[in-house]
Amino acid sequence: MKLIIAVVQDKDSNKLLNILTEYNFRVTKLASSGGFLKSGNTTFMIGTEDIRVQKALDIIKENCQSRKQFVTPATPLGGNVDYTTFPVEVEVGGATVFILPVDHFEQY
């Protein structure tokens, strides 16, 4: 048994959730936020048998592709600095996935 923890961009979360449940994966969806862009993320916890891990990873990979997006960096608060921030292009989306062994599992 494995626990897959996948952090994905909010834009990809509903589609991913629908497809994972369509393939009968047990999924828990948690709201989270990223540190770099301070944007919303969704963290999925997926419990599955060892033989189904690759299928889950394939579904995540197919539905959480990275893409480029323009964002305006946050300006520091306070101080006498006078400057203008311009949008910069960054890569967003994709998924960060952790796979953990599960020593014991019970379902009630």
Side-chain angles (χ1 to χ4, degrees):
M1 188 87 182
K2 298 285 191 245
L3 175 64
I4 300 171
I5 301 172
V7 181
V8 304
Q9 190 178 35
D10 278 346
K11 288 182 179 181
D12 298 325
S13 66
N14 286 333
K15 181 179 177 184
L16 180 60
L17 179 63
N18 291 336
I19 294 171
L20 286 169
T21 54
E22 183 179 309
Y23 279 88
N24 296 318
F25 283 98
R26 295 179 294 262
V27 181
T28 299
K29 179 180 168 184
L30 305 168
S32 54
S33 61
F36 176 61
L37 297 176
K38 306 216 183 333
S39 60
N41 292 325
T42 301
T43 301
F44 290 94
M45 296 190 325
I46 307 160
T48 190
E49 298 81 13
D50 291 357
I51 62 172
R52 297 193 70 209
V53 169
Q54 190 58 52
K55 181 63 179 176
L57 293 176
D58 291 342
I59 291 170
I60 294 166
K61 186 175 182 178
E62 289 171 17
N63 293 281
C64 299
Q65 295 296 315
S66 61
R67 55 197 164 269
K68 295 193 184 271
Q69 174 178 314
F70 283 96
V71 298
T72 303
T75 58
L77 299 175
N80 293 328
V81 178
D82 185 23
Y83 64 91
T84 305
T85 59
F86 295 98
V88 293
E89 189 175 40
V90 296
E91 193 169 298
V92 297
T96 301
V97 181
F98 302 90
I99 303 169
L100 307 167
V102 175
D103 292 332
H104 185 77
F105 167 76
E106 293 186 31
Q107 186 173 6
Y108 302 105

